[in-house]
Amino acid sequence: MIKFLDLQKVTESHGKEINEAVSRVVNSGWYLQGKENEQFEKDYAEYIGTKHAIGVANGLDAINWIFRAYIEMGRLKPGDEVIVPANTFIASILPLSENGLVPVLVEPDINTYEIDPEKIEAAITPRTKAILIVHLYGQCAYTDKIGDLCKRYNLLLIEDNAQAHGCKFKGRRTGSLGNAAAHSFYPGKNLGALGDAGGVTTDDDELAKTIRALANYGSTKKYVFKYLGRNSRLDEIQAAVLDVKLKYLDADNERRKQIAEMYIKGITNPAVITPKVTDRDAHVFHIFPIRTNKRNELLKYLADNGVQTIIHYPIAPHKQECYKDWNGWSFPISEQIHAEELSLPISPVMTDEEVNVVIQLINAWES
Ligand SMILES: *Cc1c(COP(=O)(O)O)cnc(C)c1O
């Protein structure tokens, strides 16, 4: 069977170093807020190209802490509107709700699946205070137009970089393009830990300091509490593992790009739409999304032939029960993507033979 993602093999590919790193922490007797966090934060900030990286418990918390910190700093207040793509993973939107901010959904571009820069301005109101762009599927969502809108309307630009570690826009890494960025190191992400983990990158000293405090009970100094915080720390074992895997991230992403190029060149079935890549640096293929109007049939056909695929995502955020009030809203492009998208297997450990099997099966599929 060709797995969607063989995580055991991914870990094994750097197994010796990962095991050494884990043992080092286990034997050190120091498990939180120590040298491993310090080293990973330093290396990750340098990699992304920001002044600060702050390790936190997971990607959703990373988004949450950015917005919560801006509220504590007086830059945002509950009721402010934040523009966000309608087709993102729901974890981009939940932290807005948690902080009393108002998510304003904007349609994606049907060709890129990223937020449509041409549709943002119409969604801006006097209450709009930020844009949360999401580099969905591993592709850069930032455009100069989005940067210009943020300047013109004095909006914060926040990046959800959960799916795009290593991606670049004109030579700069995603995660360094706006005021702050959230990163998830969930095991299946391009840079994945062996459990939950996340981080924030920013050049803003005050934001970094506020987030460090919020994610550590709201404490600015031991036993001195400035905010009603939570415990949302990155542990030493995960930091040590991430620091090992960071060294191989560019090579791992290069392999993803090669596989994507094989798929794009190889898949010729006219019933299937493959992604269009205009800038090789600007897509790290966390996901390889294809579209077909017989998505469920193709999923079943591939499964029957031993190929695991996943849908990202089957139900749009505005159709979810947790956002009942939005269920009547209409976002036709987003809904079309949710109805037609299928993610093919892709990972740094996939072999050429496996990729060719998937290509041949898809080309032989009679829709
Ligand atoms: C994975 C993901 C998150 C959430 O990250 P966790 O570490 O799972 O909390 C947020 N946004 C996007 C786009 C994601 O893919």
Side-chain angles (χ1 to χ4, degrees):
M1 192 188 57
I2 299 175
K3 287 189 181 174
F4 177 72
L5 169 62
D6 190 341
L7 268 182
Q8 194 175 22
K9 217 170 148 191
V10 169
T11 303
E12 236 170 55
S13 70
H14 312 300
K16 186 163 171 284
E17 274 186 84
I18 288 174
N19 277 302
E20 279 167 11
V22 170
S23 303
R24 179 176 73 236
V25 181
V26 169
N27 295 327
S28 74
W30 193 279
Y31 307 115
L32 285 162
Q33 293 185 300
K35 289 202 282 275
E36 306 290 344
N37 260 263
E38 230 171 83
Q39 188 64 47
F40 173 64
E41 288 178 346
K42 182 168 165 288
D43 293 339
Y44 196 64
E46 193 179 306
Y47 178 84
I48 294 293
T50 51
K51 193 165 168 196
H52 304 279
I54 305 120
V56 299
N58 56 66
L60 184 144
D61 275 6
I63 303 168
N64 178 62
W65 296 131
I66 291 170
F67 286 99
R68 171 73 188 279
Y70 278 125
I71 290 174
E72 296 292 350
M73 289 158 64
R75 288 286 303 272
L76 294 175
K77 58 180 185 322
D80 286 349
E81 293 174 3
V82 179
I83 288 173
V84 60
N87 62 323
T88 186
F89 180 50
I90 200 155
S92 313
I93 305 176
L94 293 171
L96 303 176
S97 304
E98 186 172 333
N99 283 293
L101 299 162
V102 180
V104 174
L105 308 184
V106 168
E107 285 268 54
D109 180 321
I110 190 66
N111 294 308
T112 63
Y113 314 131
E114 308 303 329
I115 191 167
D116 188 341
E118 300 305 320
K119 292 191 176 146
I120 293 176
E121 194 164 10
I124 295 174
T125 76
R127 287 199 302 184
T128 309
K129 293 289 153 22
I131 301 179
L132 172 59
I133 55 171
V134 182
H135 306 299
L136 200 70
Y137 302 149
Q139 177 168 234
C140 179
Y142 181 84
T143 64
D144 289 324
K145 167 130 198 188
I146 293 176
D148 290 345
L149 286 172
C150 288
K151 277 199 202 87
R152 187 136 52 87
Y153 290 94
N154 192 24
L155 309 176
L156 292 167
L157 179 63
I158 315 300
E159 298 171 82
D160 179 341
N161 199 45
Q163 301 191 356
H165 323 110
C167 181
K168 280 183 183 166
F169 174 83
K170 296 184 182 172
R172 289 156 66 206
R173 301 267 184 204
T174 57
S176 71
L177 305 174
N179 296 86
H183 310 254
S184 164
F185 306 121
Y186 175 85
K189 299 286 161 76
N190 289 31
L191 178 59
L194 304 182
D196 276 317
V200 173
T201 52
T202 182
D203 286 331
D204 184 330
D205 296 340
E206 190 190 355
L207 185 76
K209 199 171 146 204
T210 308
I211 289 174
R212 276 191 197 288
L214 283 168
N216 190 35
Y217 320 117
S219 166
T220 44
K221 214 164 86 181
K222 199 160 192 181
Y223 302 131
V224 179
F225 302 95
K226 182 166 177 179
Y227 311 106
L228 297 171
R230 279 205 278 110
N231 177 351
S232 173
R233 298 179 299 232
L234 176 64
D235 73 68
E236 289 282 280
I237 289 180
Q238 301 306 342
V241 169
L242 287 167
D243 206 48
V244 169
K245 291 183 77 176
L246 179 59
K247 289 189 292 184
Y248 302 102
L249 178 59
D250 285 341
D252 285 350
N253 281 341
E254 179 54 34
R255 178 62 190 150
R256 286 177 183 272
K257 291 182 201 201
Q258 286 170 2
I259 293 169
E261 282 158 2
M262 285 178 73
Y263 277 144
I264 290 168
K265 213 165 146 235
I267 296 173
T268 53
N269 188 328
V272 171
I273 298 167
T274 54
K276 285 160 212 49
V277 182
T278 45
D279 176 356
R280 200 172 187 275
D281 282 347
H283 206 323
V284 291
F285 284 99
H286 171 58
I287 298 291
F288 188 87
I290 60 170
R291 264 172 47 229
T292 165
N293 54 18
K294 298 219 175 92
R295 189 260 314 277
N296 295 347
E297 287 91 328
L298 180 57
L299 186 153
K300 182 168 182 305
Y301 162 83
L302 288 173
D304 289 347
N305 286 283
V307 176
Q308 240 183 16
T309 57
I310 296 186
I311 298 168
H312 293 93
Y313 298 89
I315 306 170
H318 69 282
K319 296 290 183 191
Q320 299 286 352
E321 191 176 347
C322 63
Y323 286 123
K324 273 195 288 299
D325 295 351
W326 305 353
N327 289 176
W329 294 357
S330 168
F331 291 97
I333 296 171
S334 185
E335 285 156 35
Q336 184 187 348
I337 295 169
H338 284 83
E340 297 185 344
E341 195 275 345
L342 189 67
S343 305
L344 300 185
I346 191 163
S347 83
V349 296
M350 223 184 143
T351 63
D352 283 4
E353 291 71 33
E354 290 173 317
V355 179
N356 283 325
V357 168
V358 178
I359 291 171
Q360 278 155 23
L361 279 169
I362 293 177
N363 287 343
W365 177 56
E366 293 175 24
S367 57

